[in-house]
Amino acid sequence: MMLSRQIHSYWQALPLTLILLGFLVFPICVILVVSFWDYNEYSLIPDFILENYEFLLTSKVTLKAYLQTFKYAFLSWLFTFLIGFTLAYFLAFHVRSQKTQTVLFLLCTVPFFTSNIIRMISWIPLLGRNGLVNSSLQSSGLIDQPLDWLLYSDFAIVLAYIHLYTMFMVVPIFNSMMRIDRNLVEAALDAGAAPWQILKDIIVPLSKSGIMVGSIFVFTLVMGDFITVKIMGGGIKANVATLIYNEISLLQYPAAAAGAIVLLITVLMMLMILFRLVDVRKEL
Amino acid sequence: MDKRPMSFYFLGAFFIVFLLFLYGPNITIAILSFQGENGGLTFPMRGSSLHWYAQLFERQAVGDFTSALLRSLALGVMVMICTVVFSLLAGLAFRKRFVGSSTVFYLTLASLILPSILVSLGIGLMFDRFGLTPNWFSSGFGSHLTWTLPFGLLIMFAVFNRFNPSYEMASADLGATTLQTFRLILLPLLAPSLMGIGLFGFTLSYDEFARTLMTSGALNTLPLELFAMTTNVTSPVLYALGTVTTLVSLCVILLTLVLLKQLNRKPKHQGN
């Protein structure tokens, strides 16, 4: 009996497993192999050389790109966390009817379903040199010259990340907040706790898992992103993934592969630290 | 009902500001897409017209937008169907412990959180090395599934964590076969969640860019076409395009919500 039920599990999990093996595991193995290959302008040459890595790990450009990427990841994480936590707190503890909660929640998630590229382009008429922000600041007399750093800058990139990814923070934090026993808060109030004490000693610790899941999402999304940097950075700014993207465009696949492997290892190391702190499967 | 604390109003205001931040840009381009014929990419509006929407469907103005849209819709539907079926099956499998289940689970998580450019590069290289021609319906299809299936499976986990197994047990006790229990009990109960997974799968695929980059072959999907346009189209036609694609997404969501409502209502009627 036990065995026959297990057999069901195997064929049921098979399609998913096959897709993941064929389109995730195997391709990554291919990347790993190709990262040791040589190449010239026309073709890839099967080989075992370490030059791709050597070049990558000694180049100043890589170092700068990594620092830049970590900066984006940290800033985006910080702001999405602060904003996301506040929004989740409002939705979970201040909105009383479940219907209102659902409606407000849907309002937040709808933009998530529209194209990221379109959402990024949408900033251009607002932040550009002749954009809405600059022209209203100028006409109100606050500035004489249009601000240059609004678009095609680090500011624009981080702003776009916050715009795109805050919901990835709100959803898991809201999810864990909804599971906090309201009696705990009630009891703390009765025992004379101040609001900030309730926040610090009850709500933050108990929504920690949601915070972790959200952080994993935001962190990995920003680490692997290149399209936001391309569009919002106006082609001047570079992070790790844009370097890989540029090498792909130049058909320097082994170099791109080596870059991808190093990025993979970086992300995995960061994730290992984060996963130590939370059991994802229990959080659903 | 007791009086709301001060913090409610602060947080409420914060929430509204966030919504403005979320929707502001989209609304701006929606307004600018009605820019008059001589208008530019920013305010002020020079009259209003549907000129840019008309341009959208002229091939020479923006490239092949219509067929990219159709391609993305077709791919979205393919991905949606497979995501629903495979996630349901895998979700069922994970209700019992089986050897290797945690490996499969971590693989799925990895598929979700590994940088998309890696998946894209890997699949692209794989097809290249094996002498296969990448196409949106083969390599592109596979790369989209690596993105949608993890979401599907995680939703299935969330559903089964809250699922009451007594219905199935009752059905088995009453002598139903496994297949009957699945068809008559499990499937109707899971239907709303499956629709949700379908909606997710479709929109994730429809908007997917990074994983499609090296896997769609010679023909662009809509996001790739959009990205190409951001570099060479410098007229409000871009905004018209953005508004149209946003409307398509909204229609899909609304349609699903309506269907969900219908689905939830049906059992009650039968009960009466």
Side-chain angles (χ1 to χ4, degrees):
Chain A
M1 179 66 192
M2 212 40 225
L3 194 73
S4 79
R5 291 184 63 170
Q6 273 216 355
I7 286 170
H8 278 305
S9 285
Y10 287 120
W11 72 259
Q12 284 164 340
L14 196 65
L16 174 89
T17 316
L18 285 181
I19 295 275
L20 292 181
L21 287 178
F23 287 99
L24 185 78
V25 178
F26 190 70
I28 288 176
C29 297
V30 175
I31 296 182
L32 187 65
V33 171
V34 171
S35 71
F36 292 106
W37 284 13
D38 202 354
Y39 62 98
N40 57 32
E41 276 114 281
Y42 320 103
S43 61
L44 310 184
I45 306 153
D47 201 343
F48 188 84
I49 56 166
L50 294 170
E51 267 160 50
N52 298 318
Y53 287 100
E54 210 179 289
F55 178 74
L56 186 77
L57 296 175
T58 51
S59 116
K60 276 219 173 72
V61 182
T62 317
L63 184 69
K64 227 179 118 193
Y66 266 91
L67 288 178
Q68 193 81 333
T69 309
F70 283 127
K71 186 174 91 184
Y72 294 147
F74 174 73
L75 286 174
S76 317
W77 171 79
L78 184 70
F79 285 108
T80 52
F81 165 63
L82 291 175
I83 298 170
F85 187 87
T86 315
L87 295 173
Y89 179 77
F90 174 72
L91 286 173
F93 288 98
H94 279 287
V95 179
R96 284 168 187 169
S97 89
Q98 214 189 339
K99 199 156 189 185
T100 326
Q101 240 169 17
T102 319
V103 170
L104 291 182
F105 212 79
L106 271 178
L107 269 178
C108 290
T109 33
V110 164
F112 171 77
F113 288 101
T114 65
S115 168
N116 279 358
I117 293 174
I118 295 300
R119 293 178 72 192
M120 283 182 243
I121 299 168
S122 308
W123 282 109
I124 295 171
L126 288 173
L127 300 178
R129 265 185 84 85
N130 304 312
L132 212 53
V133 174
N134 266 328
S135 55
S136 37
L137 282 176
Q138 270 175 304
S139 61
S140 70
L142 282 170
I143 49 168
D144 314 321
Q145 295 281 317
L147 300 172
D148 279 328
W149 50 265
L150 285 177
L151 194 62
Y152 307 137
S153 60
D154 288 348
F155 168 80
I157 293 170
V158 174
L159 185 77
Y161 283 139
I162 298 169
H163 192 223
L164 296 175
Y165 301 146
T166 299
M167 278 321 285
F168 283 94
M169 224 21 142
V170 177
V171 174
I173 297 181
F174 174 77
N175 192 27
S176 49
M177 277 181 179
M178 287 308 280
R179 273 186 278 170
I180 296 176
D181 189 348
R182 295 300 188 270
N183 293 330
L184 279 175
V185 180
E186 210 54 49
L189 272 177
D190 288 346
W196 64 269
Q197 280 176 316
I198 297 179
L199 197 66
K200 182 172 76 78
D201 293 330
I202 298 178
I203 295 169
V204 172
L206 286 178
S207 36
K208 200 184 101 192
S209 50
I211 297 171
M212 295 308 299
V213 173
S215 304
I216 291 171
F217 262 117
V218 172
F219 175 75
T220 52
L221 282 167
V222 174
M223 285 299 287
D225 169 87
F226 60 94
I227 185 78
T228 311
V229 176
K230 278 260 162 208
I231 295 180
M232 301 303 283
I236 320 159
K237 301 285 172 185
N239 67 349
V240 181
T242 50
L243 290 188
I244 300 173
Y245 173 79
N246 291 340
E247 281 159 351
I248 292 174
S249 331
L250 295 171
L251 303 181
Q252 301 172 340
Y253 291 133
I261 293 292
V262 173
L263 176 64
L264 176 68
I265 293 169
T266 316
V267 172
L268 283 182
M269 281 192 323
M270 306 297 264
L271 283 177
M272 244 141 55
I273 300 169
L274 286 171
F275 273 115
R276 282 272 147 99
L277 304 169
V278 60
D279 180 357
V280 177
R281 229 180 130 173
K282 279 205 195 119
E283 293 317 317
L284 297 161
Chain B
M1 206 175 218
D2 50 342
K3 210 173 144 270
R4 299 221 183 247
M6 268 310 273
S7 57
F8 171 82
Y9 297 100
F10 280 119
L11 290 171
F14 185 80
F15 188 83
I16 291 166
V17 170
F18 178 74
L19 280 186
L20 276 179
F21 169 69
L22 216 52
Y23 283 90
N26 289 55
I27 295 170
T28 316
I29 67 156
I31 296 170
L32 280 171
S33 67
F34 293 104
Q35 183 76 283
E37 272 183 53
N38 301 316
L41 279 169
T42 50
F43 288 103
M45 298 283 282
R46 293 182 206 284
S48 61
S49 70
L50 289 172
H51 175 74
W52 305 108
Y53 285 93
Q55 285 253 300
L56 207 54
F57 297 96
E58 283 169 28
R59 240 187 126 131
Q60 63 276 24
V62 287
D64 204 356
F65 158 71
T66 327
S67 50
L69 174 69
L70 290 177
R71 222 169 281 135
S72 271
L73 288 174
L75 182 58
V77 171
M78 281 162 62
V79 170
M80 175 181 79
I81 294 168
C82 286
T83 307
V84 170
V85 175
F86 294 174
S87 312
L88 172 65
L89 286 176
L92 289 171
F94 273 98
R95 296 181 79 187
K96 297 149 228 157
R97 284 216 170 272
F98 60 96
V99 182
S101 64
S102 63
T103 313
V104 176
F105 175 69
Y106 279 109
L107 262 184
T108 315
L109 272 192
S111 184
L112 181 66
I113 54 194
L114 288 188
S116 295
I117 194 164
L118 221 92
V119 181
S120 196
L121 175 65
I123 297 175
L125 275 178
M126 177 173 83
F127 269 66
D128 181 56
R129 286 297 98 191
F130 286 95
L132 302 164
T133 318
N135 246 316
W136 59 271
F137 49 79
S138 56
S139 47
F141 176 63
S143 72
H144 279 205
L145 283 178
T146 64
W147 179 229
T148 57
L149 281 176
F151 281 100
L153 186 66
L154 292 183
I155 296 174
M156 279 324 286
F157 275 149
V159 170
F160 278 128
N161 277 354
R162 291 166 179 71
F163 193 77
N164 184 352
S166 4
Y167 296 112
E168 291 164 89
M169 288 181 201
S171 143
D173 286 346
L174 291 171
T177 63
T178 320
L179 207 64
Q180 279 175 322
T181 308
F182 175 75
R183 202 163 53 89
L184 298 170
I185 307 291
L186 210 55
L187 218 47
L189 283 174
L190 292 177
S193 319
L194 293 178
M195 303 256 318
I197 293 176
L199 169 69
F200 238 74
F202 179 83
T203 45
L204 286 174
S205 155
Y206 177 74
D207 292 334
E208 173 47 46
F209 176 81
R211 291 185 195 222
T212 329
L213 189 67
M214 286 194 65
T215 57
S216 77
L219 300 168
N220 276 350
T221 61
L222 188 60
L224 293 183
E225 196 71 32
L226 285 176
F227 179 60
M229 282 174 202
T230 59
T231 49
N232 56 32
V233 178
T234 46
S235 66
V237 85
L238 205 59
Y239 300 151
L241 195 65
T243 311
V244 167
T245 52
T246 306
L247 285 178
V248 171
S249 311
L250 287 183
C251 286
V252 174
I253 300 173
L254 280 179
L255 210 70
T256 319
L257 287 179
V258 170
L259 278 172
L260 272 177
K261 220 166 183 172
Q262 291 281 322
L263 222 64
N264 281 340
R265 203 178 291 153
K266 225 162 77 193
K268 276 185 204 146
H269 283 299
Q270 283 169 347
N272 293 335

